[in-house]
Amino acid sequence: MVPPAPPPAPLPPATRVRNFLGWAFLISIGVHLVFGPFLGNYKPYTQQDKEVEKVSVTKKIKVIPPTPPPPTPTPPPPTPPPKQTPPPVKQTAPPPEVKLKLNVVKTHNNDASSSTENKYVAPPVGNENGNPNGTEASGPPVPASTPAPAATAAAPSPTPKPLCANPNEDATIKGTAVEPEYPDMARQMGAVGTTEVKVTLDAEGSPVEVSVYKSAGNAALDQAALRAAKATQYNAELVNCVKTPGSYIFRADFTGE
């Protein structure tokens, strides 16, 4: 039989103290690790309570807005000046009527049987109604005045004839317009419509620029109308029989037929 092992030798006091301090340090670290989060969360609540108390203690200052000044009274409108009454017109008295004073010739006749009134003595020639039976005046008779001939009215100047049959005429198509080609893609899509093209012409009637004036709603149809309008020949616009640059509206109808 194996003899039993001898009991371990007791540790010296210094070793025991060191072991106790080591275990105490480890236990304190474990306690901090376990309860540290709870203690850490408690501090914010304490600070929040303090902040709430600070906010509650703050005094509210009531701001009274200043009273606005009273509106400036509108000055009354100026008093219109008094109307001046025109002075009364003095009526001038009519001139006094002049009375004619007749000087009557007084005659005196010693003969009591005769009248004092003047007697009318008839003239030797003529009568009271004129002098048809009087003597002719000496000298040849005065011829009657001849009326002056009426002035002849000035003849109107003839209107000059224009140099051409139609002096003012808009631009027109020379001959027949070029028919636009119906695009296959537009035909397959069933696109129909009318495109109006504005053709800018020079003095000779040649197209300078073409642009879509009214669209048919399809780009392929508009392009076909532009090509046909540019290929068509035109007559220039006439102003007083002179060829002038102008414009023409080319119309292309796409009916799908």
Side-chain angles (χ1 to χ4, degrees):
M1 295 181 64
V2 178
L11 298 173
T15 304
R16 290 180 180 179
V17 170
R18 285 195 300 270
N19 292 337
F20 177 76
L21 292 176
W23 283 103
F25 181 72
L26 293 175
I27 291 172
S28 65
I29 291 175
V31 170
H32 279 83
L33 292 175
V34 174
F35 295 100
F38 298 100
L39 296 177
N41 293 334
Y42 178 76
K43 290 180 181 180
Y45 288 107
T46 306
Q47 294 178 357
Q48 185 175 2
D49 294 340
K50 290 181 180 180
E51 290 178 359
V52 171
E53 290 178 359
K54 289 180 182 180
V55 171
S56 61
V57 172
T58 305
K59 293 182 180 181
K60 294 182 179 180
I61 301 174
K62 185 176 181 181
V63 179
I64 301 175
T67 307
T72 307
T74 308
T79 308
K83 295 182 179 180
Q84 297 180 358
T85 308
V89 180
K90 294 182 179 181
Q91 296 182 356
T92 56
E97 185 178 355
V98 180
K99 295 182 179 181
L100 298 177
K101 185 177 180 181
L102 300 178
N103 296 325
V104 181
V105 179
K106 296 181 179 181
T107 59
H108 181 71
N109 192 358
N110 294 328
D111 190 359
S113 60
S114 63
S115 173
T116 57
E117 294 180 358
N118 294 331
K119 293 181 179 180
Y120 172 75
V121 179
V125 179
N127 55 20
E128 296 178 358
N129 296 329
N131 192 17
N133 300 324
T135 59
E136 295 181 359
S138 61
V142 180
S145 61
T146 359
T152 56
S157 58
T159 306
K161 295 182 179 180
L163 301 177
C164 56
N166 296 322
N168 298 311
E169 189 175 1
D170 294 336
T172 57
I173 293 178
K174 184 185 297 183
T176 307
V178 176
E179 291 290 336
E181 297 181 0
Y182 207 116
D184 295 337
M185 184 180 297
R187 190 186 300 275
Q188 293 174 3
M189 294 172 57
V192 295
T194 301
T195 302
E196 293 183 359
V197 180
K198 181 179 180 181
V199 185
T200 304
L201 306 174
D202 59 7
E204 299 298 328
S206 301
V208 178
E209 183 183 0
V210 291
S211 59
V212 177
Y213 184 75
K214 181 181 177 182
S215 175
N218 186 282
L221 298 181
D222 293 343
Q223 292 297 324
L226 289 173
R227 289 191 294 270
K230 193 170 185 179
T232 303
Q233 296 181 353
Y234 304 91
N235 295 317
E237 181 179 354
L238 293 179
V239 177
N240 293 331
C241 296
V242 177
K243 294 183 178 181
T244 309
S247 60
Y248 181 83
I249 301 300
F250 183 89
R251 180 186 177 95
D253 296 324
F254 299 95
T255 57
E257 297 178 357

